Amino acid sequence: MIELKGITKTYGRGAKATTALADLNLNVRKGEIFGVIGHSGAGKSTLIRCINLLERPTEGEVWVNGVNLTSLSKSELQRQRGKIGMIFQHFNLLSSATVYDNVAFPLKLVNTPKAEIDRKVKEMLTLVGLEQHSNKYPAQLSGGQKQRVGIARALASDPDVLLCDEATSALDPQTTSSILKLLLDINQKYELTIVLITHEMHVIQSICDQVAVIHQGGIVEQGPVTEVFLKPQHAITRDFMQQGQATDLLLLEEEGLASSENSRKNGEQSQLVKISFLGQKTYEAILSRTVRKTGVDFAILQGTISTIKQVPYGQLIVRFEGDSAAISSTTRELVEQGLDVEVLR
């Protein structure tokens, strides 16, 4: 559906040149929600703006739905952009226009008949839950309502692709959740391909199928969200996954292992592990059944259960105590039963 081939974007010339994207390649399949996550300055906004050529790449090709946008004339590109909707962090609404007229704006630009505009605007406002606010102005709306207007406007032209440029970062957590649910519903109802960029992992975790991690203008890791989230390979990805956990793990090692030193019997060993569960295994008593079988004692030092796009997952930090062979047998059996086990210490 979307293919970026060798995209490089450089600003300035000579000694003052700055490279925002460097030989970047990316593939997004039709109908999926694809997230791009990265820290500030990593190249996220440049990347998403290259997809509809609001930023034209210095090198490389942008293909959307089988069309090479970088080879089109200005008028042809304008027609293709009509198939790519976009919503923004700060809404970009016309302050002097009503909600109705904001949604109608892209339809008026292409001389859509008045009756069709009216039908489409009412359909989109109903979709985003704002049918009672059509005559209001942006200043009369909350942040979440403004973003819903932006979504309705982006969808009014029946696009094949929706680009979301930090669409929730200006919203409070409760409003963010409602907007993400709306995007997920739209994706499922219209089979719309959605690309969103963010610096917030919970946004990716909530609705995305695939994720790419961008750092210094390049993709350093990508794959299914469940795989990248539970088994991060790159240091930048682990940083996103483990924000706020480093201090906790240090305390676990210093306090948890120190206390085990005082409580262990002679000859017993101790091992700190992280166990990850996915899907229905999250709710099964796999750990307790296994330790009863192997005779190992354990203490849960930290744990969480959540979801990744409606798929349950769990992670536990556990201290095993007992005979070293029994501990090894425990970790081996957990892996054989489909759990991911990482030895922390």
Side-chain angles (χ1 to χ4, degrees):
M1 182 65 181
I2 300 173
E3 186 175 6
L4 306 184
K5 300 181 179 180
I7 297 298
T8 294
K9 176 63 181 180
T10 302
Y11 297 97
R13 295 180 179 179
K16 296 183 178 180
T18 300
T19 300
L21 301 174
D23 195 25
L24 185 145
N25 298 285
L26 198 67
N27 284 279
V28 179
R29 294 191 294 266
K30 180 176 176 59
E32 71 182 2
I33 303 180
F34 195 105
V36 179
I37 189 168
H39 293 299
S40 297
K44 302 187 303 296
S45 292
T46 302
L47 168 60
I48 202 166
R49 291 169 67 86
C50 279
I51 294 177
N52 58 6
L53 262 61
L54 288 179
E55 294 281 0
R56 181 171 285 274
T58 307
E59 298 178 16
E61 297 178 351
V62 177
W63 291 76
V64 178
N65 211 12
V67 177
N68 181 4
L69 300 188
T70 45
S71 69
L72 300 181
S73 67
K74 186 175 181 179
S75 60
E76 291 172 329
L77 176 60
Q78 200 64 34
R79 283 196 294 272
Q80 289 298 322
R81 278 182 177 152
K83 301 177 183 179
I84 305 173
M86 190 166 187
I87 58 177
F88 304 87
Q89 177 180 358
H90 297 295
F91 321 125
N92 286 20
L93 301 180
L94 302 171
S95 60
S96 60
T98 64
V99 167
Y100 183 102
D101 288 333
N102 266 281
V103 178
F105 182 70
L107 299 174
K108 292 179 179 179
L109 286 179
V110 294
N111 299 315
T112 305
K114 186 175 180 180
E116 175 61 16
I117 290 177
D118 189 61
R119 183 195 68 79
K120 196 65 180 179
V121 171
K122 289 179 178 177
E123 177 189 344
M124 291 299 101
L125 290 179
T126 299
L127 175 69
V128 301
L130 293 179
E131 60 270 28
Q132 303 300 318
H133 300 272
S134 62
N135 293 321
K136 291 184 178 180
Y137 290 86
Q140 298 173 285
L141 304 177
S142 68
Q145 290 171 330
K146 290 177 184 177
Q147 194 57 284
R148 286 173 181 268
V149 176
I151 293 171
R153 179 183 59 187
L155 297 179
S157 301
D158 295 322
D160 299 319
V161 175
L162 179 63
L163 306 179
C164 305
D165 186 1
E166 294 276 13
T168 61
S169 62
L171 306 176
D172 62 77
Q174 185 175 357
T175 306
T176 292
S177 295
S178 69
I179 293 298
L180 293 178
K181 184 180 184 302
L182 175 61
L183 290 175
L184 182 58
D185 290 343
I186 289 169
N187 166 257
Q188 294 172 342
K189 182 175 182 179
Y190 296 103
E191 296 185 354
L192 186 68
T193 304
I194 298 178
V195 180
L196 63 86
I197 65 167
T198 183
H199 61 276
E200 300 170 305
M201 193 59 216
H202 74 91
V203 172
I204 301 292
Q205 179 184 340
S206 297
I207 66 170
C208 292
D209 302 294
Q210 300 275 327
V211 61
V213 183
I214 187 171
H215 179 60
Q216 295 181 345
I219 301 299
V220 296
E221 187 168 356
Q222 66 180 30
V225 175
T226 51
E227 181 178 316
V228 174
F229 187 86
L230 296 178
K231 300 178 182 179
Q233 302 299 309
H234 194 276
I236 293 297
T237 313
R238 290 195 292 272
D239 180 50
F240 278 111
M241 302 305 120
Q242 298 171 357
Q243 282 177 357
Q245 293 183 16
T247 301
D248 292 341
L249 286 178
L250 181 60
L251 288 172
L252 289 175
E253 291 188 12
E254 291 180 348
E255 298 180 6
L257 288 178
S259 66
S260 72
E261 290 287 346
N262 297 326
S263 64
R264 290 202 312 266
K265 300 175 183 177
N266 289 336
E268 283 190 340
Q269 301 296 316
S270 178
Q271 189 175 72
L272 193 69
V273 300
K274 179 169 71 173
I275 305 172
S276 298
F277 309 75
L278 185 64
Q280 194 56 38
K281 293 181 185 295
T282 304
Y283 304 118
E284 296 178 8
I286 297 175
L287 177 59
S288 62
R289 287 199 304 264
T290 301
V291 296
R292 281 201 303 268
K293 178 180 177 181
T294 61
V296 167
D297 291 326
F298 74 98
I300 297 175
L301 305 182
Q302 188 182 74
T304 184
I305 293 178
S306 188
T307 59
I308 299 175
K309 197 180 181 182
Q310 302 172 327
V311 176
Y313 80 94
Q315 287 189 322
L316 297 177
I317 305 295
V318 176
R319 186 182 68 232
F320 289 135
E321 294 181 3
D323 178 76
S324 60
I327 292 176
S328 296
S329 177
T330 301
T331 57
R332 184 171 58 252
E333 291 209 18
L334 291 174
V335 171
E336 289 173 353
Q337 293 181 75
L339 306 187
D340 183 71
V341 180
E342 177 186 353
V343 177
L344 301 176
R345 180 168 166 179

